[in-house]
Amino acid sequence: MRKVSSSDLAPFLVLARHRSFRRAADEIGCTTSALSHALKALEERLDLRLFNRTTRSVALTEAGERLLGRVAPAFRDIDDALDDLNELRGAPIGRLRFNTAHVSAKMVLLPVVARFLEAHPKISVEIAVANDLVDMVSEGFDAGIRFGEVIAQDMIAVPIGPRQRTAIVASPAFFDAHAKPTTPEHLQRLPCVGLRFGSGRLYAWEFERGGVELSVEVDGPLIVDDQEIMIEAALLGVGVAYAFESQAIAHIEAGRLVRVLEDWCPYYGGLYLYYPSRRQMPAALRAFVDFVKASGTALSA
């Protein structure tokens, strides 16, 4: 086997993270052809195939998975060592990559990031929206925003944003034609807009009052995978929608939507910023975490 240098491995790591020649080439700043040649040269030096390539997908082979598991932590240590130099500057610099669901990005993360970038002009932020959970480390993200119950126990979690509350809504015209539900179970008699997760599972609407918790499986003419589309469907009179209060409140106050079962929709814990426990936290991430903690009162308002 001919000698392999660290510079030969860098394109491999980027492609392993993106699983896309186009996205990997964009990050490196080269053409997809140049990236393909670099990977082919690395495989020839190792005399092993690292990726299985088709016209539609890129996947690591067993050899690629094994190499990634060994070299990725070493490269993170190098990044940490270089990031230590931030402490010698007057302010941290660098790029942060966040992963979050669409609703979390709009409701919480983007407003916080806007204030953070104003305070830290030398830091840039990338927000990747994916409703499904991803492997943060292997995908190269610094942190994510999710509800506490779905965060892995080996992650560090910091509250971010206000407490949340759901709202059950439909249009005035819909309730002119249908009786308003007085209990969550009554929703099973009404056309509702369903919500399907990326996993394929339909969401059962959750309620709580006086310590009593209910989970109601609803049915209706429309199923979507985004709560903002649910609200739009409710505005059009398709059926009852289950959304976050902050998403629907302007429509409720303007009379475009009618709220029901409010006493079954208590406040609960909000979203969390979470990130992997590492020996050395990147300076840009440390600055963001400190910003969130220091702004806790304002962010929870």
Side-chain angles (χ1 to χ4, degrees):
M1 182 182 72
R2 287 178 287 172
K3 184 177 180 181
V4 175
S5 68
S6 58
S7 60
D8 296 323
L9 294 171
F12 162 76
L13 288 169
V14 176
L15 183 58
R17 182 168 69 247
H18 288 291
R19 311 296 168 97
S20 162
F21 274 91
R22 180 183 59 78
R23 291 197 297 269
D26 287 345
E27 179 175 328
I28 295 172
C30 69
T31 64
T32 56
S33 177
L35 177 60
S36 179
H37 284 304
L39 266 297
K40 184 178 180 180
L42 175 61
E43 289 176 328
E44 288 177 350
R45 288 189 183 125
L46 296 173
D47 195 23
L48 286 168
R49 177 177 287 274
L50 300 176
F51 293 95
N52 289 319
R53 310 163 177 84
T54 70
T55 56
R56 295 186 177 183
S57 66
V58 177
L60 285 164
T61 63
E62 181 182 354
E65 291 281 5
R66 186 175 299 187
L67 179 62
L68 179 64
R70 293 296 300 274
V71 303
F75 271 76
R76 282 197 295 270
D77 284 344
I78 292 172
D79 289 339
D80 289 343
L82 293 172
D83 198 72
D84 281 343
L85 298 178
N86 269 318
E87 296 182 0
L88 301 179
R89 301 186 182 96
I93 65 172
R95 185 183 69 156
L96 287 174
R97 297 186 75 236
F98 292 107
N99 175 270
T100 186
H102 179 267
V103 64
S104 309
K106 187 172 182 179
M107 287 196 312
V108 173
L109 182 57
L110 191 57
V112 176
V113 165
R115 294 194 291 269
F116 174 75
L117 292 176
E118 186 176 357
H120 296 276
K122 293 185 178 181
I123 295 177
S124 63
V125 171
E126 177 183 344
I127 299 174
V129 173
N131 290 328
D132 295 336
L133 293 173
V134 301
D135 185 328
M136 181 185 301
V137 176
S138 66
E139 296 291 336
F141 291 104
D142 295 292
I145 308 292
R146 300 284 173 178
F147 286 102
E149 62 267 20
V150 300
I151 298 175
Q153 293 184 350
D154 59 347
M155 293 285 173
I156 298 173
V158 177
I160 182 171
R163 294 185 302 161
Q164 299 295 330
R165 191 186 189 196
T166 52
I168 312 303
V169 295
S171 69
F174 179 89
F175 283 130
D176 286 342
H178 300 83
K180 293 180 181 179
T182 56
T183 70
E185 293 91 341
H186 289 167
L187 290 167
Q188 294 176 320
R189 307 173 189 170
L190 296 173
C192 295
V193 182
L195 178 67
R196 190 183 298 279
F197 293 128
S199 64
R201 180 173 65 88
L202 277 172
Y203 177 62
W205 295 8
E206 297 174 280
F207 300 91
E208 190 272 327
R209 187 178 70 176
V212 177
E213 297 182 359
L214 290 178
S215 181
V216 178
E217 294 183 0
V218 299
D219 193 14
L222 178 65
I223 297 173
V224 300
D225 64 356
D226 183 276
Q227 284 179 298
E228 291 194 350
I229 298 178
M230 291 183 79
I231 293 175
E232 291 300 320
L235 288 167
L236 294 170
V238 175
V240 184
Y242 182 101
F244 287 108
E245 182 181 67
S246 58
Q247 294 175 294
I249 193 66
H251 296 301
I252 296 170
E253 292 176 346
R256 294 185 292 268
L257 289 175
V258 176
R259 185 174 194 172
V260 295
L261 301 175
E262 188 170 355
D263 57 335
W264 280 95
C265 300
Y267 285 98
Y268 54 91
L271 293 155
Y272 286 81
L273 166 73
Y274 70 101
Y275 50 93
S277 176
R278 289 170 58 174
R279 187 165 61 248
Q280 180 70 30
M281 185 189 298
L285 179 57
R286 186 188 307 115
F288 188 80
V289 172
D290 290 344
F291 180 83
V292 169
K293 290 180 177 178
S295 307
T297 302
L299 296 177
S300 299

